[in-house]
Amino acid sequence: MSAADAGTTAGASRHANGELREADRAAAPAETTPARIGVIGAGYVGLVTGVCLASLGNQVTLRDIDEGKVSALERGDVPIYEPGLDTLMADHRERLTYTLSLDHMLEQSDIVFIAVDTPPTYSGDADLSRVMTVLDELEATGADDRHILVMKSTVPVGTGERVRAELEARGLGKVGYASNPEFLKEGAAIEDFLAPDRVVVGDFEPQHGDAVEALYAPLEARVVRTSVPSAEMVKYASNAFLATKISFINEIANVCEEVGADVAVVAEGMGLDRRIGPAFLRAGVGFGGSCFPKDVTALKQLAGNSGYHFQLLTSVIEVNELQKRRVVNKLKKHLDTLEGRRVALLGLAFKPETDDMREASSLVLAARLMAEGTRVVAYDPVVTHPGDLVHGVLDAESVEAAVAGADAAVLVTEWTSIVESDWAALRETMSTPILIDGRNALDPAQMRDLGYVYEGIGRNGR
Ligand code: UDX
């Protein structure tokens, strides 16, 4: 039993079963004394976390091992595309320090967030080697009982227990530990951090969880206090559930195509049921990104490693893989053969407002089309040089350049600038006006009126 499950802490209430407890909003202090915070890993999550915590008045030292990244940050350059991050970083630069030195970071901080990568390994398990390297470094530099490690990275359930054992083995048993998973959506990460649906804090010793909870007090967010394994599981279960919703609506879309129904209307009708809710019911060419595919696979693997076959998640993953390829058959239906045809891919990033290409559906689609002998021309407002990602894909500088002379166009990522294109003018430049809307972002009737052979995902009924 963990300390978090065992008893009560001053100023906070626990559920009778001792497991989940939600801190009373009203009891949360409106303001807290600024904390000295360290962040290990100035990647996407680390940077957003550090900058947002600095914006709440804390002193933040971000440490990364990449010299180029650290000097870019010192110059005020933001190495990732995330709306609002550059401004927030500039506004609070006096509270932000960037360093290569872990020693320096430890001197300057009491609460240390770990935000290193936990990429999937070949087996589908999460790779914890970077987390373990951090522990080795902490041993070498001498972290002490003043420090509380806070796991922000998504890690398999059981990692906290393992880290605690590793700390003890290294003579660092007095270093505190808490789990505080991130729920940041790329493109809306600042808002997600500063106005979260919930903050989850798991601890072994309540005083460590209290220190982490206090950081979020200015946000007046709902805080779920629990054990470390439960906090770790909340993150995986949330992402797996959202991914399940997407694969579910994608399968409904595929059935809609068979029976002549329109998935957009079906999703709207379903979403009005408050038990279901309207979010994450947009059918399309599948989910991608750095979190969903990795976390769903890791949870499936975690279950498998403990002897449980997670059947539902196995299907969620398979449905998503097949969904990315369905557009190829739609194109074949209209073009007969894809060999030698010119196909424009509009949007490449795994979703709008990001330059992230990790697990993007466009990668699978482009590679499949290239394998069919298709000439693929791609445009994305932020991602350039698609040929570096899938060999042979041609780079277009605009929607117009991508579509000119094309036998078909596929809307892959629903960037506003692409959705709001002059579709009437584009149609005139195409060889054949076949338009596959992989995100159901366009109005089918309007596109057909403009003379397109339009096909969405699951929208045959309209
Ligand atoms: C996600 C989670 O939302 C976030 O809480 C977690 O911490 C990290 O993973 P993110 O990867 O930024 O965030 O992407 P999100 O906006 O959630 O979208 C994920 C993918 O699902 C995208 O490819 C998107 O296009 C797709 N999607 C989303 C759908 O296909 N249909 C939907 O209805 C919603």
Side-chain angles (χ1 to χ4, degrees):
M1 184 190 277
S2 73
D5 290 327
T8 55
T9 48
S13 57
R14 273 183 204 280
H15 283 184
N17 67 6
E19 177 64 327
L20 286 177
R21 76 189 148 88
E22 202 171 271
D24 181 4
R25 269 181 186 224
E31 280 182 30
T32 48
T33 25
R36 299 184 334 135
I37 294 168
V39 180
I40 301 178
Y44 185 83
V45 171
L47 205 49
V48 172
T49 301
V51 171
C52 287
L53 286 169
S55 80
L56 297 179
N58 302 294
Q59 203 63 43
V60 177
T61 309
L62 278 128
R63 186 266 188 164
D64 203 283
I65 49 171
D66 181 336
E67 218 173 317
K69 192 183 274 181
V70 171
S71 39
L73 288 165
E74 279 174 335
R75 284 195 307 274
D77 293 340
V78 186
I80 52 166
Y81 178 81
E82 180 60 36
L85 186 58
D86 48 358
T87 318
L88 204 62
M89 207 171 118
D91 287 352
H92 300 283
R93 63 178 166 272
E94 76 285 356
R95 284 198 287 274
L96 283 159
T97 313
Y98 309 97
T99 182
L100 285 165
S101 158
L102 190 68
D103 261 330
H104 178 66
M105 193 218 69
L106 287 172
E107 271 166 29
Q108 298 300 315
S109 53
D110 305 314
I111 301 178
V112 177
F113 284 86
I114 299 181
V116 294
D117 283 16
T118 50
T121 58
Y122 287 116
S123 61
D125 294 280
D127 177 1
L128 292 178
S129 59
R130 289 169 183 81
V131 173
M132 292 305 151
T133 304
V134 168
L135 299 186
D136 289 341
E137 287 182 305
L138 288 174
E139 182 180 8
T141 46
D144 56 43
D145 56 2
R146 178 167 58 82
H147 293 112
I148 302 170
L149 295 183
V150 186
M151 189 61 75
K152 257 289 168 211
S153 303
T154 301
V155 291
V157 184
T159 301
E161 307 266 11
R162 184 172 159 198
V163 168
R164 195 167 58 159
E166 296 276 351
L167 285 171
E168 257 164 39
R170 287 167 167 81
L172 299 172
K174 293 249 157 59
V175 173
Y177 186 88
S179 164
N180 174 218
E182 56 90 10
F183 299 100
L184 308 174
K185 292 188 290 298
E186 292 188 23
I190 307 273
E191 197 191 326
D192 284 348
F193 192 98
L194 296 175
D197 289 343
R198 79 304 207 186
V199 170
V200 177
V201 180
D203 59 40
F204 295 119
E205 307 285 342
Q207 69 271 24
H208 301 140
D210 292 346
V212 177
E213 183 180 347
L215 297 178
Y216 293 93
L219 304 180
E220 296 185 7
R222 297 187 72 146
V223 180
V224 176
R225 291 283 299 270
T226 184
S227 66
V228 170
S230 296
E232 293 167 342
M233 191 63 172
V234 170
K235 166 70 191 202
Y236 273 119
S238 301
N239 274 358
F241 185 75
L242 291 169
T244 303
K245 258 186 128 175
I246 300 172
S247 277
F248 179 83
I249 201 67
N250 281 337
E251 289 224 281
I252 293 290
N254 300 342
V255 178
C256 282
E257 289 183 2
E258 299 301 322
V259 300
D262 182 345
V263 72
V265 181
V266 173
E268 190 189 344
M270 285 170 63
L272 289 168
D273 185 328
R274 270 173 296 181
R275 293 168 302 174
I276 299 173
F280 276 72
L281 287 180
R282 279 180 288 114
V285 287
F287 59 78
S290 61
C291 290
F292 280 174
K294 160 175 94 77
D295 294 350
V296 173
T297 306
L299 179 53
K300 182 193 144 188
Q301 202 57 39
L302 182 78
N305 294 345
S306 47
Y308 181 76
H309 177 61
F310 206 143
Q311 189 131 359
L312 186 58
L313 280 192
T314 307
S315 300
V316 167
I317 295 163
E318 194 183 331
V319 167
N320 196 49
E321 281 314 305
L322 295 174
Q323 199 68 16
K324 293 177 184 175
R325 292 150 206 263
R326 277 181 72 86
V327 167
V328 176
N329 283 340
K330 287 179 188 286
L331 289 168
K332 272 188 183 160
K333 188 174 78 187
H334 295 288
L335 292 170
D336 216 13
T337 174
L338 291 176
E339 199 173 350
R341 305 286 197 186
R342 183 181 161 113
V343 172
L345 296 187
L346 305 178
L348 293 168
F350 84 95
K351 66 174 191 176
E353 297 302 333
T354 176
D355 61 354
D356 200 334
M357 285 295 292
R358 281 176 285 182
E359 303 285 336
S361 297
S362 64
L363 293 171
V364 173
L365 189 52
R368 262 303 19 255
L369 289 171
M370 292 300 294
E372 295 280 340
T374 313
R375 280 188 302 142
V376 180
V377 190
Y379 166 72
D380 187 281
V382 174
V383 181
T384 49
H385 307 298
D388 296 348
L389 301 160
V390 178
H391 184 68
V393 172
L394 302 170
D395 185 14
E397 279 185 358
S398 61
V399 177
E400 289 76 14
V403 161
D407 296 297
V410 183
L411 179 66
V412 186
T413 313
E414 67 280 30
W415 286 94
T416 308
S417 64
I418 297 178
V419 172
E420 292 179 352
S421 296
D422 182 348
W423 291 99
L426 289 175
R427 185 200 166 281
E428 298 307 320
T429 68
M430 291 181 75
S431 219
T432 42
I434 294 164
L435 179 57
I436 309 293
D437 181 358
R439 293 293 175 186
N440 290 347
L442 301 165
D443 183 334
Q446 195 189 352
M447 292 300 129
R448 287 185 186 124
D449 283 350
L450 291 176
Y452 282 103
V453 178
Y454 171 92
E455 206 177 316
I457 308 292
R459 309 205 68 183
N460 281 355
R462 231 195 205 179

